[in-house]
Amino acid sequence: MRSLEERISRSIWRNTLRDWLELSRVDVVIVGAGPSGMTAAKYLAERGLKTVVFERRLGFGGGIGGGGMLMHKVVVDEQALPILNDFGIRYFKDEEEGLYVIDASELMAKLASRAIDSGAKIVNGVHVEDVIYRENPLRIEGVVIQWSAVVLSGLHVDPLFVSSKAVVDATGHDAEVLKIVARKVPGVNMQLVGERAAYSEASERLVVERTGRVIPGLYVAGMAVAALYGLPRMGPIFSSMLLSGRKVAEEIMRDIS
Ligand code: 48H
């Protein structure tokens, strides 16, 4: 009989490796478990697409957890209500015209749990450090990943690959995947304009309008859209993050299914 210690280790090794073998090729890689990434993950996975979210932190929610200046509430407008209902997220109408209020912790937890229930995998502690590309025709075919702990340690450790039909940059203000593609993929003529100062109403509309495919195989959602196209920021109103996540999912489903 194996000791309990031995059985614990064997169970974790075997089942993690089984998962990673499954994840070596997926339909969609989403980079970042913030609001836009997790929303996209649910809508993709529930339509049967094999979807993985890589999140470099040991948690999820991205910018939601900080609420508005550490107040534990965020707001949305009425356009986001159907998405909140899809996720079973509770909200109430505020006395401020047109605003609905949500607890930040409920938004984070339920976005993640519904994405997972729909079949998406959220893998924490994994940093996307590069992309896979092909030429003639030019396209993005996956990502290059590394443990966040290795990145933080500064050790030189070669990464591994995950192949996919679509990659979504949902990394927020930093637009990390787009920056890599602009700098390192030959033949891509992409300039990140950089996010503009606050203009909430315009930003909420424009981020959703500009969400979608950037080049074949590469999509953008959430605040990374603002960084790419030079759109204003909106502050802690999250309607456009949720709507952007749903829109990118719809666009990917049209393109690849
Ligand atoms: C793995 C990565 C990597 C990487 C980053 O910032 P997020 O919450 O992203 P969005 O766009 O879904 O939501 C933005 C929103 O939270 C926000 O900041 C708003 C509305 N601001 C308005 C304003 O005016 O300030 O989440 C992105 C996630 C984070 O959890 C990162 O840790 C993760 O992506 N991430 N994960 N590999 N290379 N880069």
Side-chain angles (χ1 to χ4, degrees), residues 173 194-207 223 226 230-237:
H173 294 269
E195 174 189 297
R196 303 290 191 214
Y199 183 172
S200 303
E201 204 169 320
S203 172
E204 282 269 276
R205 177 173 46 81
L206 291 168
V207 163
M223 279 315 283
L231 308 179
R233 67 191 300 182
M234 73 290 283
I237 177 163

Side-chain angles (χ1 to χ4, degrees), residues 3-43:
S3 69
L4 180 57
E5 290 85 351
E6 191 180 350
R7 284 179 284 136
I8 292 169
S9 296
R10 286 174 62 89
S11 173
I12 289 175
W13 287 124
R14 184 179 326 100
N15 290 294
T16 307
L17 290 175
R18 268 190 194 139
D19 262 17
W20 279 110
L21 285 175
E22 273 295 305
L23 292 175
S24 60
R25 168 168 286 282
V26 297
D27 291 317
V28 187
V29 169
I30 297 172
V31 188
S36 65
M38 293 194 290
T39 305
K42 175 199 192 295
Y43 288 115

Side-chain angles (χ1 to χ4, degrees), residues 172-214:
H173 294 269
D174 292 339
E176 291 206 5
V177 181
L178 297 176
K179 279 185 187 151
I180 291 163
V181 171
R183 188 163 52 86
K184 296 185 69 179
V185 177
V188 172
N189 190 12
M190 185 203 300
Q191 259 159 5
L192 277 91
V193 184
E195 174 189 297
R196 303 290 191 214
Y199 183 172
S200 303
E201 204 169 320
S203 172
E204 282 269 276
R205 177 173 46 81
L206 291 168
V207 163
V208 183
E209 271 175 31
R210 304 298 297 272
T211 290
R213 198 177 83 152
V214 184

Side-chain angles (χ1 to χ4, degrees), residues 31-38 54-57 59-64 126-129 148 170-174 176-177 180 195 198 221-224 233-238 240-241:
V31 188
S36 65
M38 293 194 290
F54 291 124
E55 167 55 54
R56 69 178 167 200
R57 297 195 297 192
F60 33 67
I64 299 171
V126 172
H127 179 101
V128 171
E129 65 165 43
S148 303
T171 64
H173 294 269
D174 292 339
E176 291 206 5
V177 181
I180 291 163
E195 174 189 297
M223 279 315 283
R233 67 191 300 182
M234 73 290 283
I237 177 163
F238 279 76
S240 57
M241 298 300 106

Side-chain angles (χ1 to χ4, degrees), residues 1-241:
M1 168 78 168
R2 294 190 171 100
S3 69
L4 180 57
E5 290 85 351
E6 191 180 350
R7 284 179 284 136
I8 292 169
S9 296
R10 286 174 62 89
S11 173
I12 289 175
W13 287 124
R14 184 179 326 100
N15 290 294
T16 307
L17 290 175
R18 268 190 194 139
D19 262 17
W20 279 110
L21 285 175
E22 273 295 305
L23 292 175
S24 60
R25 168 168 286 282
V26 297
D27 291 317
V28 187
V29 169
I30 297 172
V31 188
S36 65
M38 293 194 290
T39 305
K42 175 199 192 295
Y43 288 115
L44 289 161
E46 75 184 10
R47 292 285 294 273
L49 294 185
K50 195 168 164 190
T51 303
V52 63
V53 183
F54 291 124
E55 167 55 54
R56 69 178 167 200
R57 297 195 297 192
L58 297 179
F60 33 67
I64 299 171
M69 215 175 126
L70 293 183
M71 311 292 150
H72 64 272
K73 303 281 183 192
V74 297
V75 296
V76 295
D77 70 18
E78 66 179 3
Q79 291 184 78
L81 302 186
I83 299 179
L84 296 181
N85 292 335
D86 280 352
F87 280 81
I89 294 164
R90 294 169 302 173
Y91 52 86
F92 64 88
K93 191 168 177 10
D94 192 48
E95 58 207 62
E96 300 300 335
E97 199 188 324
L99 290 184
Y100 297 80
V101 185
I102 315 166
D103 270 20
S105 55
E106 177 160 352
L107 182 60
M108 287 159 74
K110 288 191 176 166
L111 287 175
S113 86
R114 299 299 190 267
I116 293 165
D117 288 348
S118 299
K121 254 290 165 226
I122 301 179
V123 187
N124 288 118
V126 172
H127 179 101
V128 171
E129 65 165 43
D130 213 335
V131 297
I132 305 170
Y133 77 99
R134 294 291 182 265
E135 291 169 316
N136 307 315
L138 175 74
R139 61 202 186 277
I140 300 302
E141 287 217 334
V143 293
V144 180
I145 57 169
Q146 181 57 274
W147 302 120
S148 303
V150 168
V151 175
L152 291 169
S153 74
L155 291 172
H156 178 160
V157 178
D158 270 9
L160 282 173
F161 308 104
V162 172
S163 300
S164 66
K165 295 177 186 160
V167 173
V168 182
D169 185 335
T171 64
H173 294 269
D174 292 339
E176 291 206 5
V177 181
L178 297 176
K179 279 185 187 151
I180 291 163
V181 171
R183 188 163 52 86
K184 296 185 69 179
V185 177
V188 172
N189 190 12
M190 185 203 300
Q191 259 159 5
L192 277 91
V193 184
E195 174 189 297
R196 303 290 191 214
Y199 183 172
S200 303
E201 204 169 320
S203 172
E204 282 269 276
R205 177 173 46 81
L206 291 168
V207 163
V208 183
E209 271 175 31
R210 304 298 297 272
T211 290
R213 198 177 83 152
V214 184
I215 59 171
L218 178 66
Y219 297 77
V220 62
M223 279 315 283
V225 178
L228 176 60
Y229 297 115
L231 308 179
R233 67 191 300 182
M234 73 290 283
I237 177 163
F238 279 76
S239 336
S240 57
M241 298 300 106

